[in-house]
Amino acid sequence: MIRALLTVLLNVGLVASSPLACDAETGKPVAIRWWGQGMVSIETAWGLTVVVDPHGGASEPNAARPDCDLVLFTHDHGDGSSMSAGNRKPFVFHGLDDDGVVRPPYQSLTRAVGEENPQWRRVRRRVPQANELRVKTIAAWRDSNEGQHRGAAAMFLIEADGVRVLYAGGLGQQRLTDAQLDSYRVVQATSPGTIDVLLLPVGGSDTIDGARAAAIVEQVTPRYVVPIHYKAEGLKAELATVDPFLDAIDKRHDVDRPKGNTLAVSAADGDDERSTRVVLLGHKPWRPTDELADLFERMETACTASQQIFAPLTAEQLNWRPPNGSHTARWNAEHMMGRQLGFFSQIYAAIDPEITAIDLNPAQMPPDYKPAHPDWDGAEQARQMERSAAFVRRFAYLLDGGDLDRRAPGSRWTPRRLLLQMERHFNQHTANVKKKFALPGWPQGEVGSKKAEVRSAGEGRE
């Protein structure tokens, strides 16, 4: 997948010419995770997470659960109606009302610049905006007789960062109807009607079996199909294995078996092939070695400490130019973020073509520097650092099996040296920013008087 660097910079939305809250550009990878049975989460570059059909007690007692901003339910049935998904207090949306009727189709999860918490509301416009997670509800049946035996279910078309995901976790139909197919084929400026990822049950019981699921794949022709709701090690549900589905699709589609439970997906471009790939995710999240986990924790601790310094600052303080000719505090924040995002995305891009290397490091010399978002206050600037750190952690499974002391793919750094360097880099620039507070002319504000909530666990003149 080839994208021009300028497109990448605009799409990620971290540069001055493309504010994150404006144009609905594409190209930012989303992370899709399977957690066993029908439970799936989708995480965006803007830090929004939706969980669909969380289960309770369907896997081992100490299984991980994602924090999320939104929980979607296809129907009320057994473990699929569990609320045990993470520690936040998410919005909850049932695709069907009490009478089994599909609720209003278009809903939007957004968090505006300057706002700490996201909003979930109905919208009428059909074209997603930048950094918005859009959900469309599509009526479906849990059997092949228009719900006469098992009732109705909802499918969800979830759109974020130009990626279109069709979740069919409660589906029991043998085939999709023409109306259902047309419901997601609406041609839009940012979405040509293609389904990037189809999340499809294949294990039978109260959903379709492998053979029927294979037929639906041929109807939808997604870029990727991720089988869900089948028997897997550690899961208690009485379901069929994924093997009948794989037998049914035969040799028509390539099958990928990545480590862990995560798939990275970016919006399709004109160079993408239209063949479908089957991705067999595990239902357990990838876990780094103790040594790698410790290195990540050290870097993230330094990053979090830096966020806490920036969060109370005003936009005036961030943009203040020190009389000694050094950089503004905002430059320090953008430089730290740009270096971290740039180095790690370069490594990830060399391993997975769905991720693009992102070079957002600002100009090194003060006279050449132009802030990406001069109107952002410290809290939003800290959130931007948090989002970048989350990106690095989100796709860290791509480092699995690598030698910590050997150069990472596409990089001049070894993973160990890079993680230790980033820890030093955050500490160095945080110290430099704190020194600015004592310089003559520093704008008076509330430095140190606010407690900012931070969730995430150098070259040039400073």
Side-chain angles (χ1 to χ4, degrees):
M1 184 178 296
I2 302 174
R3 296 184 180 92
L5 179 59
L6 178 60
T7 301
V8 174
L9 299 184
L10 293 174
N11 289 345
V12 175
L14 301 176
V15 291
S17 56
S18 179
L20 251 65
C22 296
D23 300 333
E25 300 286 353
T26 58
K28 296 172 278 189
V30 301
I32 298 174
R33 303 182 192 269
W34 181 48
W35 301 88
Q37 274 189 231
M39 181 176 175
V40 172
S41 66
I42 300 173
E43 302 167 26
T44 76
W46 191 240
L48 300 174
T49 298
V50 56
V51 168
V52 191
D53 281 353
H55 57 64
S59 60
E60 55 271 32
N62 296 322
R65 292 289 185 274
D67 277 342
C68 62
D69 304 292
L70 171 67
V71 176
L72 301 176
F73 290 113
T74 58
H75 62 287
D76 291 323
H77 177 73
D79 284 339
S81 295
S82 169
M83 287 299 297
S84 58
N87 299 316
R88 300 184 210 169
K89 294 182 178 179
F91 296 99
V92 177
F93 180 75
H94 294 263
L96 306 177
D97 64 19
D98 293 339
D99 296 321
V101 178
V102 169
R103 294 182 184 274
Y106 288 102
Q107 308 284 332
S108 172
L109 181 70
T110 57
R111 189 195 63 75
V113 170
E115 296 294 330
E116 181 178 347
N117 299 313
Q119 297 295 321
W120 170 248
R121 52 181 168 265
R122 180 182 178 183
V123 292
R124 297 188 181 277
R125 48 182 166 75
R126 297 186 177 187
V127 179
Q129 305 300 299
N131 313 310
E132 176 185 44
L133 189 148
R134 173 67 61 85
V135 177
K136 180 181 181 180
T137 307
I138 301 172
W141 307 109
R142 298 185 54 234
D143 56 45
S144 55
N145 294 301
E146 296 187 349
Q148 293 182 24
H149 300 304
R150 294 184 178 273
M155 295 190 295
F156 294 116
L157 175 63
I158 301 171
E159 299 176 278
D161 298 334
V163 176
R164 308 178 84 230
V165 180
L166 182 61
Y167 179 90
L171 192 66
Q173 300 173 215
Q174 295 188 38
R175 294 180 64 81
L176 297 182
T177 66
D178 289 342
Q180 289 169 331
L181 293 171
D182 289 342
S183 68
Y184 67 78
R185 286 175 176 167
V186 177
V187 177
Q188 300 176 350
T190 58
S191 302
T194 299
I195 293 299
D196 294 292
V197 182
L198 173 62
L199 299 163
L200 189 64
V202 302
S205 182
D206 61 343
T207 60
I208 52 178
D209 58 22
R212 294 177 179 178
I216 290 177
V217 171
E218 301 309 314
Q219 282 187 287
V220 178
T221 62
R223 290 171 56 208
Y224 298 99
V225 57
V226 177
I228 61 175
H229 200 268
Y230 61 87
K231 185 177 180 60
E233 182 182 358
L235 299 181
K236 299 177 182 179
E238 295 296 327
L239 301 170
T241 67
V242 73
D243 295 332
F245 171 72
L246 298 179
D247 292 340
I249 64 170
D250 196 21
K251 304 294 184 182
R252 287 173 288 177
H253 304 294
D254 293 328
V255 179
D256 298 331
R257 301 172 185 264
K259 292 187 177 181
N261 72 336
T262 306
L263 170 67
V265 184
S266 288
D269 62 21
D271 295 330
D272 285 326
E273 298 180 0
R274 287 297 297 119
S275 59
T276 296
R277 301 187 72 89
V278 178
V279 181
L280 290 183
L281 296 176
H283 65 279
K284 298 179 181 179
W286 170 80
R287 297 189 183 283
T289 63
D290 291 344
E291 188 175 21
L292 184 58
D294 179 68
L295 290 168
F296 260 97
E297 183 177 358
R298 291 177 60 174
M299 177 185 68
E300 290 169 346
T301 297
C303 181
T304 299
S306 185
Q307 293 170 42
Q308 292 171 340
I309 293 299
F310 281 98
L313 301 182
T314 64
E316 181 187 9
Q317 290 168 332
L318 287 170
N319 296 329
W320 180 71
R321 294 185 175 275
N324 60 8
S326 62
H327 272 293
T328 65
R330 192 181 299 279
W331 177 89
N332 290 88
E334 293 185 356
H335 175 63
M336 285 187 284
M337 178 207 67
R339 294 271 286 183
Q340 183 186 43
L341 193 61
F343 284 136
F344 282 97
S345 68
Q346 184 180 39
I347 295 171
Y348 297 162
I351 301 171
D352 187 344
E354 288 289 339
I355 299 176
T356 306
I358 306 166
D359 182 8
L360 303 184
N361 196 31
Q364 294 290 319
M365 302 306 293
D368 302 324
Y369 167 64
K370 295 181 179 179
H373 302 283
D375 56 329
W376 283 8
D377 63 14
E380 193 62 43
Q381 200 72 56
R383 292 188 192 101
Q384 189 75 316
M385 295 176 67
E386 179 186 338
R387 287 189 287 265
S388 298
F391 172 96
V392 171
R393 171 67 81 160
R394 187 175 297 136
F395 301 111
Y397 63 89
L398 295 171
L399 300 175
D400 183 78
D403 187 339
L404 294 180
D405 296 307
R406 178 173 295 180
R407 285 186 180 181
S411 176
R412 63 184 175 85
W413 294 91
T414 69
R416 186 190 308 278
R417 286 183 56 234
L418 177 55
L419 287 160
L420 291 175
Q421 164 63 11
M422 288 309 308
E423 178 192 16
R424 291 191 295 269
H425 199 242
F426 281 116
N427 289 334
Q428 171 192 355
H429 283 274
T430 301
N432 288 334
V433 170
K434 293 170 69 175
K435 291 177 182 177
K436 300 181 194 299
F437 301 163
L439 292 176
W442 171 260
Q444 296 302 308
E446 300 183 33
V447 175
S449 66
K450 298 180 181 178
K451 292 184 179 179
E453 180 180 352
V454 180
R455 292 190 306 219
S456 67
E459 294 91 1
R461 296 177 65 181
E462 310 301 329

